[in-house]
Amino acid sequence: MIFQLTEEQNLIRNMVREFAETEIAPTAKKRDEEERFDRPLMFDKLGELGLTGIVFPEEYGGAGADYISYAIAVEELSRVCASTGVTLSAHLSLCANPIYLFGSEEQKQKYLVPLAAGEKLGAFGLTEPSAGSDAGGTKTTALRDGDEWILNGTKIFITSGGDAETYVIFARTDKEAKKHNGISAFIIEKGAAGFSFGKKEEKLGIRSSPTMELVFENCRLPAANLLGKEGEGFKVAMKTLDGGRIGIASQAIGIAQGAFETAVDYAKERKQFDTPIGKFQGIQFQLADMFTQIEAARLLVYKAAYRASKGLNYSTDSAMAKLMASETAMKVTTQAVQVLGGYGYTREFPVERMMRDAKITEIYEGTSEIQRLVIGSALIK
Ligand code: CAA
Ligand code: FAD
């Protein structure tokens, strides 16, 4: 085991940090207040930096880097703006990656290449009004009609919905099959007849990342848009989420790191009782716990990312990483608000936004309860 980043990983961290601090951070507060997604800044520029396809081979428009580099990129973006972090994570892990893993060569050329190059933004539609944690309860249907599939149903809470051009969607192709059986994956493009957008969510956090409802009303798709084998969509979803959880865990680490650094800087400056509050052991102990928890969680994230890059099984690792990192983000951001006292509760400092942003990491891509279920069932098996 080598607990040291490679030269390439360090270069990526420096590059993304500089970009995040100079270009993303200055508008993070305003975008949050206005609930505004700034695509040229939050996505197109990531493409110019080579981040939108960072883990894919160069032949598919990627940068050929490893999963730790990807984790670092999401972490550094999320350190200043969690909405930008999830934009990259949902695009790469949830849309481009299943096409890379399960797509035919033709699908990779047609869909993956422009996604990896950052020319198209991707999204992933699994959740439905009555199928959230129970993803096997998918009700959207895709029925075969000659050379086409006809989709009907609704997907909710879709990150980048409306703005994305390419969607990986899950629908039931066998109405008789029970639970997770009989579900298939599809690639659908914005503009397809019968595919429209519904409600846009108003949220507690990650307010600069759009979350939208997708509606399919007799949406006709060519047979060639089936992704992977018919009836094996649930496994496509689960394998996709294994990777996605590394992205969200990295987002959580970034949020926690941003809040922690703000708390340290503040503790050095703020005086009470004629003393910088950072000199009080009560504050130092809080900072020590925050730092230790972030580092422990980060190691779990990098371990899962390392295993993903080496082609080892990492389902349990990514569930542990996501569970630990998201709960750490919630603890650390709450504590950061405490260290800043009343100012921490105001919008003058970014920690209140970070605390609001942290909460979603315990919910999406499987709630903390679902991560415990994934880890627990692997232990019993
Ligand atoms: N890889 C491959 N196969 C897997 C797998 C994995 N990681 N996990 C399960 N499977 C397989 C099982 O082996 C089983 O296969 P067989 O039928 O051959 O035996 C099959 O899938 C069913 O497995 P389970 O019995 O475990 O399935 P379940 O119905 O009990 O559900 C679950 C399992 C883990 C709870 C799953 O439903 C789940 O992950 N739910 C959470 C949904 C979720 O995370 N949604 C995220 C939406 S995306 C998002 O939120 C986006 C964002 O953040 C930006
Ligand atoms: P429910 O499943 O109804 O859960 C409610 C509560 O019950 C939770 O606390 C849960 O942990 C608990 N619970 C459920 N089952 C169990 C159990 N077996 N044991 C113990 N406790 C249990 N989905 C997508 O497909 N694509 C996206 O891009 C996407 N982006 C999102 C962005 C945002 C901002 C949000 C809020 C959600 C997004 N989602 C997306 C959906 C997200 O993945 C779901 O919200 C999440 O999986 C939980 O599902 P649910 O909301 O239906 O909650």
Side-chain angles (χ1 to χ4, degrees):
M1 283 194 195
I2 303 168
F3 291 97
Q4 201 175 16
L5 296 181
T6 63
E7 203 183 325
E8 190 192 1
Q9 290 159 351
N10 275 320
L11 281 173
I12 287 170
R13 186 183 296 284
N14 294 340
M15 189 241 327
V16 183
R17 178 165 294 201
E18 198 196 327
F19 164 72
E21 283 183 349
T22 55
E23 303 204 33
I24 300 284
T27 59
K29 176 175 187 275
K30 202 152 195 301
R31 282 184 284 102
D32 169 67
E33 282 167 5
E34 294 171 357
E35 296 185 61
R36 183 168 55 83
F37 178 59
D38 180 345
R39 172 156 178 167
L41 175 71
M42 296 166 67
F43 183 70
D44 297 350
K45 286 210 170 164
L46 305 187
E48 288 163 25
L49 291 174
L51 300 178
T52 46
I54 184 168
V55 296
F56 304 116
E58 286 170 18
E59 59 185 296
Y60 295 121
D66 65 357
Y67 263 82
I68 295 185
S69 302
Y70 165 57
I72 289 170
V74 176
E75 187 184 325
E76 288 300 328
L77 294 171
S78 306
R79 178 174 160 268
V80 302
C81 174
S83 294
T84 307
V86 74
T87 302
L88 176 61
S89 182
H91 163 84
L92 188 149
S93 293
L94 301 184
C95 181
N97 200 41
I99 298 174
Y100 175 62
L101 292 177
F102 300 98
S104 63
E105 189 52 37
E106 203 184 330
Q107 288 173 330
K108 286 182 195 168
Q109 292 302 334
K110 186 169 177 192
Y111 301 107
L112 175 60
V113 170
L115 286 166
E119 288 158 13
K120 287 193 174 169
L121 172 60
F124 174 87
L126 179 64
T127 307
E128 299 184 358
S130 59
S133 298
D134 182 12
T138 295
K139 287 203 169 71
T140 295
T141 54
L143 300 178
R144 191 73 187 245
D145 182 30
D147 280 347
E148 292 182 320
W149 294 97
I150 307 173
L151 267 76
N152 279 290
T154 303
K155 297 285 172 182
I156 56 164
F157 298 157
I158 308 307
T159 298
S160 301
D163 289 277
E165 285 85 22
T166 308
Y167 295 77
V168 169
I169 300 291
F170 298 84
R172 194 166 282 288
T173 42
D174 181 349
K175 275 180 147 178
E176 306 306 315
K178 295 270 181 309
K179 294 190 167 178
H180 61 273
N181 298 304
I183 294 174
S184 303
F186 294 89
I187 306 170
I188 304 180
E189 286 188 295
K190 185 176 177 174
F195 174 24
S196 61
F197 302 106
K199 184 182 171 209
K200 184 183 176 211
E201 301 298 337
E202 293 174 339
K203 312 194 294 290
L204 173 73
I206 57 159
R207 288 157 53 99
S208 175
S209 156
T211 311
M212 190 80 103
E213 184 180 16
L214 314 181
V215 182
F216 301 99
E217 285 167 310
N218 292 323
C219 171
R220 282 185 174 268
L221 283 183
N225 285 40
L226 177 73
L227 177 64
K229 292 194 182 126
E230 186 178 338
E232 293 193 4
F234 192 76
K235 283 188 186 166
V236 172
M238 291 300 109
K239 287 210 162 119
T240 300
L241 289 169
D242 285 346
R245 286 168 186 159
I246 293 179
I248 299 308
S250 307
Q251 183 200 26
I253 297 293
I255 299 170
Q257 182 71 31
F260 165 72
E261 288 176 24
T262 308
V264 171
D265 292 345
Y266 189 85
K268 287 186 196 162
E269 293 297 322
R270 172 71 173 171
K271 282 190 179 160
Q272 286 294 278
F273 306 97
D274 298 325
T275 312
I277 59 166
K279 294 270 183 204
F280 299 135
Q281 204 175 46
I283 296 288
Q284 281 181 16
F285 278 12
Q286 291 188 54
L287 296 175
D289 285 347
M290 290 155 88
F291 186 58
T292 307
Q293 286 161 4
I294 294 170
E295 197 56 18
R298 182 180 281 124
L299 287 174
L300 271 184
V301 179
Y302 291 179
K303 182 190 171 203
Y306 173 86
R307 290 181 66 85
S309 293
K310 294 286 173 197
L312 301 166
N313 187 310
Y314 67 99
S315 305
T316 312
D317 299 273
S318 65
M320 288 195 294
K322 201 240 174 204
L323 174 63
M324 177 81 174
S326 59
E327 295 197 342
T328 296
M330 205 56 232
K331 268 190 249 162
V332 166
T333 53
T334 308
Q335 218 158 10
V337 170
Q338 191 69 18
V339 169
L340 269 73
Y343 291 104
Y345 198 71
T346 71
R347 293 202 180 168
E348 204 177 321
F349 288 88
V351 288
E352 64 82 29
R353 167 169 54 87
M354 291 165 170
M355 183 177 159
R356 288 186 285 107
D357 287 347
K359 185 62 202 168
I360 190 61
T361 66
E362 293 183 324
I363 295 172
Y364 58 17
E365 294 209 28
T367 62
S368 292
E369 291 73 27
I370 293 303
Q371 305 312 321
R372 289 188 167 90
L373 196 144
V374 169
I375 301 160
S377 56
L379 290 175
I380 297 306
K381 257 184 208 164

